[in-house]
Amino acid sequence: MGVQGSGKGTQSKLLADDLDLTHINVGEIFRWHVKQHTKIGAQVRRIVAAGELVGDDLVEDVVRERLQQHDWNYGFVVDGFPRNRRQAEFFLESYDIDGVIHLDLPDEEVRRRVLARRLCSRCGMDYNLIAHRPETEDRCDVCGGELVAREDDTPEALARRLRDYHDKTDPVLELFRGKEYVTSVDARGDKATIQRTIRERLGLPSYQP
Ligand code: AMP
């Protein structure tokens, strides 16, 4: 868990790739539906573009359906879920959770990072104009596609997401703290240090970049 731009995607992918866990990113599932013009895509397109939260029933359906695929051997890392108390209660009732990783980042740093975020419009590769610049301006290093900002990475949408995060997601952390193992990690460091700290805290094999 962590506010937008805290590195949830990066850290959970590092964990998943290295430890053979399935990475489940709820926001990415919604963006896929929007791009593929599915029925769900039509329902969530405006909500996702505005940086608002999709309704809990739909989120729960998407998570349930994704987890029913059982395509993992060693477990899964869920990224971007749960985001409010109801989602957290659904998650706790339905699945076994070994640990909650909280990436802690001050709002000021969130603004700086998120507004520098870019995505390849062709292959989906992530860039950041501060930490991971493309070699050629606005072009993907891998496929040459055009780099664009996510539609919901505007100052207005970000302000709304930060407000939502503090109103709705902070209480989820409190709920987890009462029931599950929560580890809070300072998300301002470089990505290898953060990954190493997460592994140490969870007793996982150490990280070798
Ligand atoms: P993310 O990539 O995690 O920032 O998610 C992108 C967008 O997908 C969010 O701004 C929401 O509109 C939607 N979304 C993702 N996860 C959730 C969730 N757990 N609950 C509600 N909406 C979500």
Side-chain angles (χ1 to χ4, degrees):
M1 295 187 61
V3 69
Q4 290 76 12
S6 59
K8 289 193 299 284
T10 305
Q11 295 299 332
S12 52
K13 263 186 240 161
L14 282 175
L15 267 184
D17 290 349
D18 215 22
L19 302 175
D20 221 352
L21 306 171
T22 295
H23 178 227
I24 299 172
N25 178 328
V26 178
E28 210 168 273
I29 296 175
F30 285 132
R31 280 192 292 279
W32 180 88
H33 279 286
V34 171
K35 215 168 162 191
Q36 301 297 320
H37 301 284
T38 67
K39 209 166 135 195
I40 291 180
Q43 280 174 274
V44 303
R45 191 171 57 88
R46 282 203 192 83
I47 302 172
V48 171
E52 286 164 12
L53 290 182
V54 172
D56 292 331
D57 288 336
L58 187 53
V59 173
E60 287 174 17
D61 286 347
V62 163
V63 170
R64 193 181 297 111
E65 195 184 310
R66 179 65 192 81
L67 288 171
Q68 270 166 1
Q69 291 177 19
H70 284 281
D71 56 341
W72 60 84
N73 290 322
Y74 304 110
F76 53 82
V77 190
V78 183
D79 164 2
F81 172 89
R83 267 170 142 113
N84 61 30
R85 208 181 161 91
R86 185 175 135 186
Q87 293 179 9
E89 280 164 357
F90 159 78
F91 198 39
L92 282 168
E93 280 162 17
S94 317
Y95 304 97
D96 271 339
I97 307 165
D98 294 317
V100 178
I101 304 162
H102 169 223
L103 296 171
D104 195 12
L105 195 71
D107 287 1
E108 259 324 294
E109 181 61 15
V110 173
R111 285 191 196 91
R112 202 176 78 90
R113 286 188 186 185
V114 168
L115 299 177
R117 204 147 71 162
R118 296 291 181 275
L119 204 66
C120 174
S121 54
R122 204 182 291 160
C123 74
M125 174 93 178
D126 287 321
Y127 291 84
N128 189 294
L129 303 183
I130 306 163
H132 176 199
R133 295 187 71 86
E135 283 181 13
T136 311
E137 201 176 328
D138 294 336
R139 291 279 150 204
C140 177
D141 294 345
V142 179
C143 75
E146 189 189 358
L147 300 188
V148 293
R150 254 169 58 171
E151 211 177 345
D152 56 348
D153 281 348
T154 61
E156 298 72 32
L158 176 60
R160 200 173 307 120
R161 296 210 306 263
L162 277 172
R163 203 172 49 235
D164 260 341
Y165 184 85
H166 292 302
D167 286 354
K168 298 180 182 153
T169 313
D170 281 348
V172 172
L173 268 178
E174 291 318 306
L175 178 79
F176 279 142
R177 281 204 174 95
K179 301 193 174 190
E180 303 284 337
Y181 180 66
V182 177
T183 180
S184 278
V185 177
D186 185 345
R188 283 172 301 185
D190 63 277
K191 71 179 185 192
T193 308
I194 297 169
Q195 182 69 199
R196 252 182 238 116
T197 312
I198 291 172
R199 302 263 183 115
E200 273 165 28
R201 300 262 186 91
L202 293 175
L204 294 169
S206 64
Y207 175 60
Q208 315 286 350

